[in-house]
Amino acid sequence: MSSHYEAPIREPLVLGDKSYHDITVDIAKPIEGKANKNWYIAFTISLIAFLWGIGCISYTIGTGIGVWGLNKNIGWAWDITNFVWWVGIGHAGTLISAVLLLFRQRWRMAINRSAEAMTIFAVFQAGLFPLIHMGRPWNGYWVLPIPNQFGSLWVNFNSPLLWDVFAISTYLSVSLVFWWTGLLPDFAMLRDRAVKPFQKKIYALLSFGWSGRAKDWQRFEEVSLVLAGLATPLVLSVHTIVSMDFATSINPGWHSTIFPPYFVAGAIFSGFAMVQTLLGIMRKVTNLENYITRLHVEYMNMVIMLTGGIVAVAYASEFFIAWYTGSPYENFTYMSVGAATGAYGWAFWSLILFNILIPQFLWIRSVRRSFIGSFLISIAINIGMWFERFDIIAIVLSKGHLPSTWTRFEPTFVDVGIFIGTIGFFGVLFLLYARTFPVIAQAEVKSIMKVSGENYKKLRDGNHE
Amino acid sequence: MSNKVIHALYNDDDILMDAVKKVKSAHHHIDEVFTPFPVHGLDKAMGLAPTKIAITSFLYGLVGLSFAIWMTNYMMIEDWPQDIGGKPNFSWFLNMPAFVPIMFELTVFFAAHLMVITFYMRSRLWPFKAAENPDVRTTDDHFLMEIAIHGNEEELTSLLNETGAVEIKVIDKE
């Protein structure tokens, strides 16, 4: 077993005395079993929220954007806040599956499948907002450069909103094929285990006839690596392009060159927080505690600390630069004395509290390794990162260049209802996913068993206890 | 003539690797190996040629980049050179920075999707494709080596037995 050497200092990534077959059984169990009462309760709640959201969306499209709380100065608020929030959440999935693959981080293997699912479902939610916040969503297809009967009237490639269209659709579709390709061996495992004919048929269809030949695996690994290499710059570019919706404008508070990296860091920060939230529940309800361990939680918390630190530095530099420019307009940006003491002071201080202060508890090792502690902190970050986007958008727009345009934004029940609807939709998708898809990439976990499995490590290193 | 193959099943990847090396050094051609997860170094041990799929991806990326340059130039500079917010439209290069995001995204889009499609076609994977692994255990925890028999059945069987196979079957392939 000399080829499976790993430094003894490393903690095991798979706990317990597991064989390859045990991994198969553990991962197939939630799919082959029946859903329990809690699942149905959660699913019903999500479904109701989703239906409520559909109602609010229909009402908006049927009646007009005027049913939202927007006004003629604040033309973006909850819609784009939620859009950026959801896109940001999606970024952790790609980071875990692509960036951590490039860095050969073995701990990604237990969490990448769910993180990618989260990416895809979050990008679905994000993708709704660019459509429904249009005044005339039925003309939405005009954003595509399709030859047409208007003398071939094209789109304007100078607009970041058009870049968004390209970025989001590329991001969603590439994430989807990356995820699906990774799923083939796992679907094949379920196909070969299935006893019910219907289940067998479904998984045979989903697994594309995957047979696990040596040549298939060789190509599979190369494809995964190249896709990871493509997805890494993609994930950085997507949130960069989203940030350019703001950064390329002339609004004080938006017109800032720090936005691209800072939005990306914030996206990873909030995305990892959401992974933490979801996996905190998932590992319990699907009995995958031996795979999603304290070590995984700690590593994710470390990434959260790092990106949270980057975000905090960005806040500080925004605050400093707003003062340092000497421009009076910068006194009311989302990171300024004007914001801290103005009408949206509560939103400013929520941001500071949830994003900067609370995550600092993660410096304490016992908090970082505690399931409940990281769960609570991850919820705080989800809230804080929502406020970050809200502050950037609404506070900046509420006090523009002309004092006669200064105004306030109050959301209506439709704004709130659509946001709740997207959370419900996300819940519906994720709950269905957890019951039908292998939530852990079993083929990948099996490939690290001999290096990082607890039983193998003990055999190799000798029992130190 | 009926085409006979031998199926040797293993229950450990390290044993499989040793077996592959032994069978290769005894100068037998290994038709196929089915494994439940990627066994690192297996393709080298079997003597498989490296895959060229990354090279195709690079070429597809170039196609995407060229397409983006052509599209932005045609639509923004040649077809309707309009003044939108004072952006220069005298030449593609003058307005180039605004096209960078599109160029980047289309490069990635083409490189990723066409490579994945190439992979699915080369490995013959598609939604209604029937699975071809001869034993269902090979997607769980078993490893299967398939070797063609050319009148050397007994010699092969004993060789495979020595390598630690847990199950050896002779199969008639039509």
Side-chain angles (χ1 to χ4, degrees), chain A residues 29 170 184 226 235 452:
Chain A
K29 198 183 268 167
T170 303
L184 296 180
V226 175
V235 73
S452 303

Side-chain angles (χ1 to χ4, degrees), chain A residues 224-419:
Chain A
S224 306
L225 189 63
V226 175
L227 276 182
L230 289 168
T232 301
L234 182 63
V235 73
L236 301 182
S237 81
V238 169
H239 224 67
T240 292
I241 289 174
V242 168
S243 84
M244 286 173 178
D245 296 347
F246 310 101
T248 60
S249 75
I250 56 165
N251 293 21
W254 283 5
H255 189 87
S256 171
T257 50
I258 202 175
F259 269 31
Y262 147 56
F263 266 52
V264 173
I268 297 164
F269 184 48
S270 69
F272 264 85
M274 191 56 109
V275 176
Q276 198 80 279
T277 310
L278 293 174
L279 291 187
I281 302 168
M282 174 114 97
R283 62 186 293 284
K284 267 263 176 283
V285 298
T286 53
N287 297 315
L288 293 171
E289 284 133 318
N290 283 327
Y291 301 95
I292 301 165
T293 66
R294 225 172 258 290
L295 187 65
H296 291 88
V297 169
E298 182 176 20
Y299 281 159
M300 285 196 277
N301 277 331
M302 286 174 169
V303 177
I304 289 175
M305 284 164 72
L306 172 71
T307 49
I310 296 173
V311 170
V313 169
Y315 291 159
S317 73
E318 283 279 76
F319 197 91
F320 171 75
I321 293 291
W323 164 80
Y324 190 62
T325 55
S327 158
Y329 298 117
E330 299 269 341
N331 289 339
F332 304 109
T333 66
Y334 73 104
M335 270 290 145
S336 62
V337 178
T341 56
Y344 284 108
W346 57 275
F348 176 91
W349 290 108
S350 304
L351 171 70
I352 302 293
L353 176 70
F354 288 121
N355 270 0
I356 301 185
L357 300 180
I358 291 180
Q360 299 313 317
F361 283 108
L362 293 174
W363 287 99
I364 305 163
R365 186 176 145 93
S366 56
V367 175
R368 195 165 68 223
R369 288 177 71 89
S370 132
F371 293 113
I372 185 77
S374 15
F375 184 75
L376 293 175
I377 290 175
S378 74
I379 302 259
I381 296 169
N382 288 328
I383 299 171
M385 284 306 292
W386 189 88
F387 271 112
E388 180 196 297
R389 279 65 179 252
F390 177 77
D391 288 7
I392 289 174
I393 295 170
I395 296 184
V396 168
L397 290 178
S398 71
K399 285 194 172 167
H401 286 101
L402 274 179
S404 61
T405 64
W406 287 2
T407 181
R408 263 182 75 89
F409 168 80
E410 296 290 346
T412 66
F413 80 94
V414 193
D415 285 297
V416 183
I418 292 175
F419 182 46

Side-chain angles (χ1 to χ4, degrees), chain A residues 1 3-4 20-21 24 145 150-158 162-163 166-167 169-171 173-174 177 180-181 184-185 188-189 191-193 200 204-223 226-227 230 233-234 237-238 241 244 442-444 446-447 450 456, chain B residues 11-14 32-40 42-43 46 48-55 57 71-72 74-76 79-80 84 87 95 97-99 101-102 104-109 111-113 115-116 119-120 122-133 135-136 138-141 143:
Chain A
M1 267 198 288
S3 63
H4 300 303
Y20 293 143
H21 185 63
T24 307
F150 302 104
S152 269
L153 190 60
W154 304 118
V155 291
N156 166 25
F157 284 105
N158 290 318
L162 186 67
W163 306 343
F166 280 77
S169 51
T170 303
Y171 184 51
S173 62
V174 172
V177 296
W180 200 269
T181 306
L184 296 180
M189 177 271 279
R191 170 197 73 205
D192 288 348
R193 277 177 65 83
K200 188 138 198 129
L205 172 68
L206 295 180
S207 63
F208 287 16
W210 175 267
S211 307
R213 289 187 180 87
K215 189 71 191 177
D216 292 349
W217 280 119
Q218 187 200 36
R219 291 201 187 106
F220 177 92
E221 296 224 284
E222 181 111 337
V223 164
V226 175
L227 276 182
L230 289 168
L234 182 63
S237 81
V238 169
I241 289 174
M244 286 173 178
Q442 52 93 21
E444 294 201 64
K446 283 174 187 169
S447 73
K450 287 200 173 164
Y456 287 95
Chain B
N11 58 6
D12 186 273
D13 42 333
D14 291 322
E32 205 63 80
V33 175
F34 297 90
T35 65
F37 57 84
V39 178
H40 290 281
L42 180 63
D43 50 344
M46 285 173 68
L48 294 180
T51 170
K52 294 188 273 285
I53 211 139
I55 300 167
S57 178
M71 180 171 74
T72 47
Y74 173 68
M75 294 179 186
M76 296 294 290
D79 205 19
W80 296 77
I84 303 165
K87 289 270 190 175
N95 205 359
F99 303 145
I102 302 286
F104 176 82
E105 296 299 332
L106 285 181
T107 307
V108 172
F109 187 91
H113 286 296
M115 174 186 66
V116 169
F119 164 58
Y120 283 9
R122 289 291 285 127
S123 285
R124 307 181 60 76
L125 300 165
W126 51 79
F128 289 95
K129 171 82 187 297
E132 287 164 350
N133 47 333
D135 192 303
V136 290
T138 60
T139 53
D140 179 358
D141 61 348
F143 306 79

